[in-house]
Short mmCIF file of all heavy atoms in Angstrom, two decimals:
data_model
loop_
_atom_site.label_atom_id
_atom_site.label_comp_id
_atom_site.label_asym_id
_atom_site.label_seq_id
_atom_site.Cartn_x
_atom_site.Cartn_y
_atom_site.Cartn_z
N LYS A 183 -108.19 14.78 34.53
CA LYS A 183 -109.28 15.75 34.50
C LYS A 183 -110.13 15.64 35.76
O LYS A 183 -110.71 16.62 36.21
CB LYS A 183 -110.17 15.51 33.28
CG LYS A 183 -109.63 16.12 31.99
CD LYS A 183 -110.62 15.94 30.86
CE LYS A 183 -110.14 16.64 29.61
NZ LYS A 183 -111.05 16.38 28.47
N TRP A 184 -110.18 14.43 36.33
CA TRP A 184 -111.08 14.25 37.48
C TRP A 184 -110.71 15.17 38.63
O TRP A 184 -111.57 15.71 39.30
CB TRP A 184 -111.07 12.80 37.94
CG TRP A 184 -112.14 12.59 38.95
CD1 TRP A 184 -112.01 12.41 40.29
CD2 TRP A 184 -113.54 12.64 38.71
NE1 TRP A 184 -113.24 12.32 40.88
CE2 TRP A 184 -114.20 12.46 39.94
CE3 TRP A 184 -114.31 12.81 37.55
CZ2 TRP A 184 -115.58 12.44 40.05
CZ3 TRP A 184 -115.69 12.79 37.68
CH2 TRP A 184 -116.30 12.62 38.91
N ALA A 185 -109.42 15.39 38.84
CA ALA A 185 -108.99 16.30 39.91
C ALA A 185 -109.53 17.70 39.65
O ALA A 185 -109.92 18.42 40.57
CB ALA A 185 -107.47 16.33 40.01
N ASN A 186 -109.56 18.09 38.39
CA ASN A 186 -110.08 19.41 38.04
C ASN A 186 -111.58 19.49 38.28
O ASN A 186 -112.10 20.52 38.71
CB ASN A 186 -109.79 19.73 36.57
CG ASN A 186 -108.30 19.77 36.29
OD1 ASN A 186 -107.51 20.00 37.18
ND2 ASN A 186 -107.93 19.54 35.05
N ILE A 187 -112.28 18.41 38.00
CA ILE A 187 -113.72 18.38 38.24
C ILE A 187 -114.00 18.58 39.72
O ILE A 187 -114.83 19.40 40.11
CB ILE A 187 -114.33 17.03 37.79
CG1 ILE A 187 -114.21 16.88 36.27
CG2 ILE A 187 -115.79 16.95 38.19
CD1 ILE A 187 -114.58 15.52 35.79
N GLN A 188 -113.29 17.83 40.54
CA GLN A 188 -113.49 17.94 41.98
C GLN A 188 -113.26 19.38 42.45
O GLN A 188 -113.98 19.90 43.27
CB GLN A 188 -112.54 17.00 42.73
CG GLN A 188 -112.81 15.52 42.47
CD GLN A 188 -114.09 15.06 43.13
OE1 GLN A 188 -115.16 15.58 42.87
NE2 GLN A 188 -113.99 14.06 43.98
N HIS A 189 -112.25 20.01 41.88
CA HIS A 189 -111.92 21.39 42.27
C HIS A 189 -113.05 22.33 41.85
O HIS A 189 -113.48 23.18 42.61
CB HIS A 189 -110.61 21.80 41.62
CG HIS A 189 -110.20 23.20 41.97
ND1 HIS A 189 -109.76 23.55 43.23
CD2 HIS A 189 -110.17 24.34 41.24
CE1 HIS A 189 -109.48 24.83 43.26
NE2 HIS A 189 -109.71 25.35 42.05
N ARG A 190 -113.53 22.16 40.63
CA ARG A 190 -114.57 23.04 40.12
C ARG A 190 -115.86 22.90 40.91
O ARG A 190 -116.64 23.82 41.05
CB ARG A 190 -114.87 22.71 38.64
CG ARG A 190 -113.77 23.16 37.68
CD ARG A 190 -114.24 23.04 36.25
NE ARG A 190 -113.18 23.42 35.34
CZ ARG A 190 -112.60 22.59 34.49
NH1 ARG A 190 -112.96 21.33 34.44
NH2 ARG A 190 -111.64 23.02 33.67
N LYS A 191 -116.09 21.73 41.43
CA LYS A 191 -117.33 21.50 42.17
C LYS A 191 -117.30 22.11 43.56
O LYS A 191 -118.30 22.13 44.27
CB LYS A 191 -117.60 19.99 42.29
CG LYS A 191 -117.96 19.34 40.97
CD LYS A 191 -118.00 17.85 41.10
CE LYS A 191 -119.10 17.43 42.04
NZ LYS A 191 -119.06 16.00 42.32
N GLY A 192 -116.15 22.59 43.97
CA GLY A 192 -116.07 23.27 45.25
C GLY A 192 -116.26 22.36 46.45
O GLY A 192 -116.76 22.79 47.49
N ARG A 193 -115.87 21.11 46.31
CA ARG A 193 -116.07 20.17 47.42
C ARG A 193 -114.84 20.10 48.33
O ARG A 193 -114.77 19.27 49.22
CB ARG A 193 -116.35 18.76 46.87
CG ARG A 193 -117.63 18.66 46.08
CD ARG A 193 -117.81 17.26 45.50
NE ARG A 193 -118.16 16.28 46.53
CZ ARG A 193 -117.43 15.22 46.81
NH1 ARG A 193 -116.30 15.00 46.19
NH2 ARG A 193 -117.82 14.35 47.74
N GLN A 194 -113.87 20.97 48.10
CA GLN A 194 -112.59 20.85 48.79
C GLN A 194 -112.72 20.83 50.31
O GLN A 194 -112.14 19.97 50.98
CB GLN A 194 -111.65 21.98 48.37
CG GLN A 194 -111.34 22.00 46.86
CD GLN A 194 -110.49 20.83 46.42
OE1 GLN A 194 -110.66 19.72 46.87
NE2 GLN A 194 -109.58 21.08 45.51
N ASP A 195 -113.43 21.80 50.87
CA ASP A 195 -113.52 21.89 52.33
C ASP A 195 -114.20 20.66 52.92
O ASP A 195 -113.74 20.09 53.91
CB ASP A 195 -114.26 23.16 52.74
CG ASP A 195 -113.46 24.41 52.44
OD1 ASP A 195 -112.23 24.29 52.27
OD2 ASP A 195 -114.06 25.48 52.36
N ALA A 196 -115.31 20.28 52.32
CA ALA A 196 -116.07 19.13 52.83
C ALA A 196 -115.27 17.84 52.69
O ALA A 196 -115.37 16.93 53.51
CB ALA A 196 -117.39 19.01 52.10
N ALA A 197 -114.46 17.77 51.63
CA ALA A 197 -113.74 16.53 51.35
C ALA A 197 -112.38 16.46 52.05
O ALA A 197 -111.78 15.39 52.13
CB ALA A 197 -113.53 16.38 49.84
N ARG A 198 -111.88 17.59 52.56
CA ARG A 198 -110.52 17.61 53.09
C ARG A 198 -110.33 16.66 54.28
O ARG A 198 -109.33 15.95 54.35
CB ARG A 198 -110.14 19.04 53.51
CG ARG A 198 -108.68 19.18 53.85
CD ARG A 198 -108.16 20.54 53.47
NE ARG A 198 -108.25 20.80 52.05
CZ ARG A 198 -107.34 20.42 51.17
NH1 ARG A 198 -106.28 19.76 51.56
NH2 ARG A 198 -107.48 20.70 49.90
N SER A 199 -111.28 16.64 55.20
CA SER A 199 -111.18 15.76 56.34
C SER A 199 -111.13 14.30 55.91
O SER A 199 -110.33 13.51 56.39
CB SER A 199 -112.36 15.98 57.29
OG SER A 199 -112.36 15.03 58.33
N LYS A 200 -111.99 13.95 54.96
CA LYS A 200 -112.02 12.57 54.45
C LYS A 200 -110.73 12.25 53.70
O LYS A 200 -110.18 11.15 53.82
CB LYS A 200 -113.23 12.39 53.53
CG LYS A 200 -113.51 10.94 53.14
CD LYS A 200 -114.79 10.83 52.32
CE LYS A 200 -116.02 11.02 53.16
NZ LYS A 200 -116.29 9.84 54.03
N LEU A 201 -110.23 13.24 52.94
CA LEU A 201 -108.98 13.04 52.21
C LEU A 201 -107.83 12.79 53.16
O LEU A 201 -107.03 11.86 52.97
CB LEU A 201 -108.68 14.27 51.35
CG LEU A 201 -107.33 14.29 50.63
CD1 LEU A 201 -107.22 13.15 49.63
CD2 LEU A 201 -107.09 15.63 49.95
N PHE A 202 -107.73 13.58 54.21
CA PHE A 202 -106.65 13.40 55.19
C PHE A 202 -106.73 12.03 55.85
O PHE A 202 -105.72 11.40 56.14
CB PHE A 202 -106.70 14.50 56.26
CG PHE A 202 -106.21 15.85 55.78
CD1 PHE A 202 -106.35 16.97 56.58
CD2 PHE A 202 -105.62 15.99 54.54
CE1 PHE A 202 -105.89 18.22 56.15
CE2 PHE A 202 -105.16 17.23 54.09
CZ PHE A 202 -105.30 18.34 54.89
N SER A 203 -107.94 11.58 56.11
CA SER A 203 -108.13 10.27 56.71
C SER A 203 -107.60 9.17 55.80
O SER A 203 -106.93 8.23 56.25
CB SER A 203 -109.63 10.04 56.99
OG SER A 203 -109.85 8.74 57.46
N LYS A 204 -107.86 9.29 54.49
CA LYS A 204 -107.40 8.29 53.55
C LYS A 204 -105.88 8.35 53.36
O LYS A 204 -105.22 7.32 53.24
CB LYS A 204 -108.12 8.48 52.21
CG LYS A 204 -109.61 8.20 52.33
CD LYS A 204 -110.36 8.31 51.01
CE LYS A 204 -111.84 8.01 51.23
NZ LYS A 204 -112.61 7.90 49.98
N LEU A 205 -105.33 9.55 53.36
CA LEU A 205 -103.88 9.71 53.26
C LEU A 205 -103.20 9.12 54.49
O LEU A 205 -102.15 8.46 54.39
CB LEU A 205 -103.52 11.19 53.11
CG LEU A 205 -103.89 11.85 51.77
CD1 LEU A 205 -103.73 13.37 51.86
CD2 LEU A 205 -103.04 11.30 50.63
N SER A 206 -103.79 9.33 55.67
CA SER A 206 -103.24 8.79 56.91
C SER A 206 -103.24 7.27 56.86
O SER A 206 -102.27 6.63 57.31
CB SER A 206 -104.07 9.26 58.12
OG SER A 206 -103.93 10.64 58.32
N LYS A 207 -104.29 6.69 56.34
CA LYS A 207 -104.38 5.23 56.24
C LYS A 207 -103.26 4.68 55.35
O LYS A 207 -102.60 3.69 55.69
CB LYS A 207 -105.75 4.83 55.69
CG LYS A 207 -106.03 3.33 55.78
CD LYS A 207 -107.32 2.96 55.09
CE LYS A 207 -108.54 3.46 55.82
NZ LYS A 207 -109.81 2.93 55.20
N GLU A 208 -103.03 5.34 54.22
CA GLU A 208 -101.96 4.91 53.32
C GLU A 208 -100.59 5.02 53.98
O GLU A 208 -99.75 4.12 53.87
CB GLU A 208 -101.99 5.76 52.04
CG GLU A 208 -100.76 5.62 51.15
CD GLU A 208 -100.53 4.22 50.60
OE1 GLU A 208 -101.48 3.42 50.51
OE2 GLU A 208 -99.37 3.92 50.26
N ILE A 209 -100.36 6.11 54.72
CA ILE A 209 -99.08 6.30 55.42
C ILE A 209 -98.88 5.21 56.47
O ILE A 209 -97.81 4.62 56.59
CB ILE A 209 -99.03 7.70 56.07
CG1 ILE A 209 -98.92 8.78 54.98
CG2 ILE A 209 -97.86 7.81 57.04
CD1 ILE A 209 -99.08 10.19 55.50
N THR A 210 -99.93 4.94 57.25
CA THR A 210 -99.84 3.92 58.30
C THR A 210 -99.55 2.54 57.72
O THR A 210 -98.69 1.81 58.22
CB THR A 210 -101.15 3.88 59.12
OG1 THR A 210 -101.37 5.15 59.73
CG2 THR A 210 -101.09 2.81 60.19
N VAL A 211 -100.26 2.19 56.65
CA VAL A 211 -100.05 0.88 56.03
C VAL A 211 -98.64 0.79 55.44
O VAL A 211 -97.96 -0.23 55.61
CB VAL A 211 -101.11 0.64 54.93
CG1 VAL A 211 -100.75 -0.58 54.10
CG2 VAL A 211 -102.49 0.45 55.56
N ALA A 212 -98.19 1.84 54.77
CA ALA A 212 -96.85 1.84 54.18
C ALA A 212 -95.78 1.71 55.26
O ALA A 212 -94.80 0.98 55.10
CB ALA A 212 -96.64 3.12 53.37
N ALA A 213 -95.97 2.43 56.38
CA ALA A 213 -94.99 2.36 57.48
C ALA A 213 -94.99 0.99 58.14
O ALA A 213 -93.95 0.49 58.59
CB ALA A 213 -95.29 3.45 58.51
N LYS A 214 -96.16 0.37 58.21
CA LYS A 214 -96.28 -0.93 58.86
C LYS A 214 -95.65 -2.04 58.01
O LYS A 214 -95.10 -3.01 58.53
CB LYS A 214 -97.77 -1.23 59.09
CG LYS A 214 -98.03 -2.19 60.23
CD LYS A 214 -99.51 -2.21 60.58
CE LYS A 214 -99.77 -3.04 61.82
NZ LYS A 214 -101.19 -3.03 62.20
N MET A 215 -95.73 -1.87 56.67
CA MET A 215 -95.22 -2.89 55.76
C MET A 215 -93.71 -2.83 55.58
O MET A 215 -93.08 -3.79 55.14
CB MET A 215 -95.90 -2.75 54.39
CG MET A 215 -97.37 -3.12 54.39
SD MET A 215 -98.16 -2.79 52.78
CE MET A 215 -97.26 -3.92 51.73
N GLY A 216 -93.11 -1.66 55.90
CA GLY A 216 -91.67 -1.51 55.71
C GLY A 216 -91.05 -0.69 56.83
O GLY A 216 -91.55 -0.68 57.95
N ASP A 217 -89.97 -0.01 56.51
CA ASP A 217 -89.26 0.82 57.48
C ASP A 217 -90.06 2.10 57.76
O ASP A 217 -90.60 2.70 56.84
CB ASP A 217 -87.88 1.17 56.93
CG ASP A 217 -86.93 1.68 58.01
OD1 ASP A 217 -87.17 2.80 58.51
OD2 ASP A 217 -85.97 0.97 58.33
N PRO A 218 -90.14 2.52 59.04
CA PRO A 218 -90.87 3.75 59.36
C PRO A 218 -90.15 5.02 58.93
O PRO A 218 -90.70 6.12 59.07
CB PRO A 218 -91.03 3.67 60.88
CG PRO A 218 -89.88 2.84 61.33
CD PRO A 218 -89.68 1.83 60.25
N ASP A 219 -88.94 4.89 58.42
CA ASP A 219 -88.18 6.03 57.91
C ASP A 219 -88.48 6.18 56.42
O ASP A 219 -88.12 5.29 55.63
CB ASP A 219 -86.68 5.80 58.13
CG ASP A 219 -85.83 6.96 57.62
OD1 ASP A 219 -86.40 7.92 57.05
OD2 ASP A 219 -84.61 6.92 57.80
N PRO A 220 -89.10 7.29 56.01
CA PRO A 220 -89.45 7.49 54.60
C PRO A 220 -88.27 7.37 53.65
O PRO A 220 -88.43 6.93 52.51
CB PRO A 220 -90.03 8.91 54.57
CG PRO A 220 -90.56 9.12 55.94
CD PRO A 220 -89.58 8.42 56.84
N GLU A 221 -87.07 7.73 54.10
CA GLU A 221 -85.89 7.66 53.24
C GLU A 221 -85.49 6.22 52.94
O GLU A 221 -84.80 5.95 51.97
CB GLU A 221 -84.71 8.41 53.89
CG GLU A 221 -84.94 9.91 54.03
CD GLU A 221 -85.28 10.59 52.71
OE1 GLU A 221 -84.61 10.28 51.71
OE2 GLU A 221 -86.23 11.39 52.67
N LYS A 222 -85.93 5.29 53.79
CA LYS A 222 -85.58 3.88 53.60
C LYS A 222 -86.77 3.06 53.09
O LYS A 222 -86.66 1.84 52.92
CB LYS A 222 -85.08 3.28 54.93
CG LYS A 222 -83.83 3.95 55.47
CD LYS A 222 -83.46 3.38 56.83
CE LYS A 222 -82.25 4.08 57.43
NZ LYS A 222 -81.94 3.58 58.80
N ASN A 223 -87.90 3.72 52.88
CA ASN A 223 -89.13 3.04 52.49
C ASN A 223 -89.78 3.84 51.35
O ASN A 223 -90.49 4.81 51.60
CB ASN A 223 -90.07 2.96 53.71
CG ASN A 223 -91.36 2.23 53.41
OD1 ASN A 223 -91.79 2.11 52.27
ND2 ASN A 223 -92.01 1.74 54.46
N PRO A 224 -89.52 3.44 50.09
CA PRO A 224 -90.04 4.19 48.94
C PRO A 224 -91.55 4.41 48.96
O PRO A 224 -92.04 5.50 48.65
CB PRO A 224 -89.63 3.32 47.74
CG PRO A 224 -88.41 2.61 48.20
CD PRO A 224 -88.68 2.31 49.66
N ARG A 225 -92.30 3.38 49.35
CA ARG A 225 -93.75 3.54 49.36
C ARG A 225 -94.18 4.58 50.41
O ARG A 225 -95.05 5.41 50.14
CB ARG A 225 -94.44 2.20 49.66
CG ARG A 225 -95.95 2.35 49.79
CD ARG A 225 -96.68 1.04 49.86
NE ARG A 225 -98.09 1.25 50.13
CZ ARG A 225 -99.00 0.30 50.14
NH1 ARG A 225 -98.65 -0.95 49.87
NH2 ARG A 225 -100.26 0.57 50.41
N LEU A 226 -93.56 4.54 51.56
CA LEU A 226 -93.87 5.52 52.61
C LEU A 226 -93.46 6.92 52.16
O LEU A 226 -94.17 7.90 52.39
CB LEU A 226 -93.16 5.15 53.91
CG LEU A 226 -93.36 6.12 55.08
CD1 LEU A 226 -94.84 6.30 55.41
CD2 LEU A 226 -92.60 5.64 56.31
N ARG A 227 -92.33 7.01 51.49
CA ARG A 227 -91.85 8.30 51.00
C ARG A 227 -92.87 8.90 50.03
O ARG A 227 -93.17 10.09 50.07
CB ARG A 227 -90.49 8.14 50.31
CG ARG A 227 -89.90 9.44 49.81
CD ARG A 227 -88.46 9.22 49.33
NE ARG A 227 -87.88 10.46 48.84
CZ ARG A 227 -87.99 10.89 47.59
NH1 ARG A 227 -88.67 10.17 46.70
NH2 ARG A 227 -87.44 12.03 47.21
N MET A 228 -93.40 8.06 49.13
CA MET A 228 -94.39 8.54 48.18
C MET A 228 -95.67 8.97 48.89
O MET A 228 -96.30 9.97 48.54
CB MET A 228 -94.73 7.44 47.16
CG MET A 228 -93.60 7.07 46.22
SD MET A 228 -93.03 8.44 45.21
CE MET A 228 -91.37 8.64 45.85
N ALA A 229 -96.06 8.20 49.91
CA ALA A 229 -97.29 8.51 50.64
C ALA A 229 -97.15 9.84 51.38
O ALA A 229 -98.08 10.66 51.41
CB ALA A 229 -97.61 7.39 51.63
#
Side-chain angles (χ1 to χ4, degrees):
K183 279 185 175 175
W184 189 252
N186 298 336
I187 294 171
Q188 295 289 58
H189 180 71
R190 287 191 182 115
K191 290 171 64 187
R193 296 177 73 240
Q194 300 291 39
D195 291 341
R198 190 146 298 275
S199 173
K200 190 175 287 286
L201 173 63
F202 286 172
S203 174
K204 294 183 180 188
L205 290 169
S206 292
K207 190 186 290 187
E208 167 62 23
I209 290 171
T210 299
V211 169
K214 205 168 187 178
M215 290 175 64
D217 196 291
D219 180 357
E221 295 305 315
K222 299 176 183 176
N223 182 338
R225 176 171 173 174
L226 178 57
R227 182 172 180 272
M228 293 300 114

